[in-house]
Amino acid sequence: YELTQPPSVSVSPGQTARITCSGDALPKQYAYWYQQKPGQAPVVVIYKDTERPSGIPERFSGSSSGTTVTLTISGVQAEDEADYYCQSADSSGTYRVIFGGGTKLTVL
Amino acid sequence: EVQLVESGGGLVQPGRSLRLSCAASGFSFGDFAMHWVRQAPGKGLQWVSGISWSSGSIGYADSVKGRFTISRDNAKNSLFLQMNSLRPEDSAVYYCGKDQGFGEWRGMDVWGQGTTVIVSS
C-alpha cells in the first residue's frame, strides 16, 4: 500500500500548480494534503479529498478521480513554495496511516 | 486555542530507551485518535504509530513494531511514545498529531511543533 507523488513541481508566480498522489486505496479512503515549510510543522491544506480548512487561501483546492487525488494551487504565490505531502489512513482492519513521499513545489 | 506540545526528546545512545510525551489542550482530547509522525533530517514524513480514542485500537509502522509502545491518558490529556532499543535510524523530529475523525482514522488537523530525537554513541 503506497501513495506516489512526483518529487518536484515547478511553476511561475500566478500560474497553476497541480500535484498528484496515486494509490490503489484512495477510492476507499479519504486523502489529506499537508504543506510543510522548512523548520516548521506540517499544516493541513486539504482534508477529506476536497475540503479546505478555515484560514487556508481559496487558491488551494483538492479533487479526486479513481486512484488519484490532486492538489491544485491556482495563482501560485512565492509563499506557496514548500513541500507537500498526501496522506490516507485505514482503520477498517489494519490500523495504519500512509504518507506519500512528498513533492517539492518551487516557485520560479 | 487548540495546541499540542511534545517533550522528552534528546540525545540517547543506541540500544537505550526514551519516552516522548505530548500535552494536548483546547479540545476534547478523549474524543479523538492520536498519532506520532517522524521526519528524519532531509527526509519525508513517516507515520510511526496511532491510537484510537479509547486505546482499543493501536497501529505501528513495521519499522518500530515490537520496540515502540504508544499510550494515552485521557484524564491528563496526554499522549506518550515509549521507545526502546533505539537505533541511529530512529533519529528524527517526532510530531504528535490529532486525528480529525471521531471514530475511524482519517488525517491530522492539528500538529505539535515536534521534539528531536538523536540516537548516537
Side-chain angles (χ1 to χ4, degrees), chain B residues 7-114:
Chain B
S7 61
L11 174 64
V12 62
Q13 293 180 329
R16 303 298 290 264
S17 299
L18 209 57
R19 189 189 196 213
L20 305 184
S21 299
C22 172
S25 59
F27 66 98
S28 184
F29 178 76
D31 285 345
F32 298 95
M34 297 292 296
H35 303 276
W36 288 100
V37 176
R38 70 184 181 185
Q39 186 171 37
K43 302 296 185 182
L45 300 174
Q46 180 191 23
W47 176 76
V48 174
S49 182
I51 185 168
S52 65
W53 65 273
S54 65
S55 303
S57 299
I58 288 174
Y60 297 97
D62 288 343
S63 58
V64 307
K65 203 172 293 183
R67 300 188 299 124
F68 290 11
T69 301
I70 191 171
S71 62
R72 65 190 296 163
D73 184 337
N74 288 344
K76 296 183 177 179
N77 292 339
S78 295
L79 175 72
F80 306 100
L81 186 68
Q82 177 67 42
M83 304 186 295
N84 298 333
S85 303
L86 282 162
R87 305 167 179 169
E89 55 265 36
D90 295 319
S91 297
V93 175
Y94 284 73
Y95 297 100
C96 69
K98 167 191 168 290
D99 201 290
Q100 190 184 40
F102 279 100
E104 62 183 22
W105 294 7
R106 290 184 174 173
M108 285 148 268
D109 59 350
V110 182
W111 294 68
Q113 282 305 303

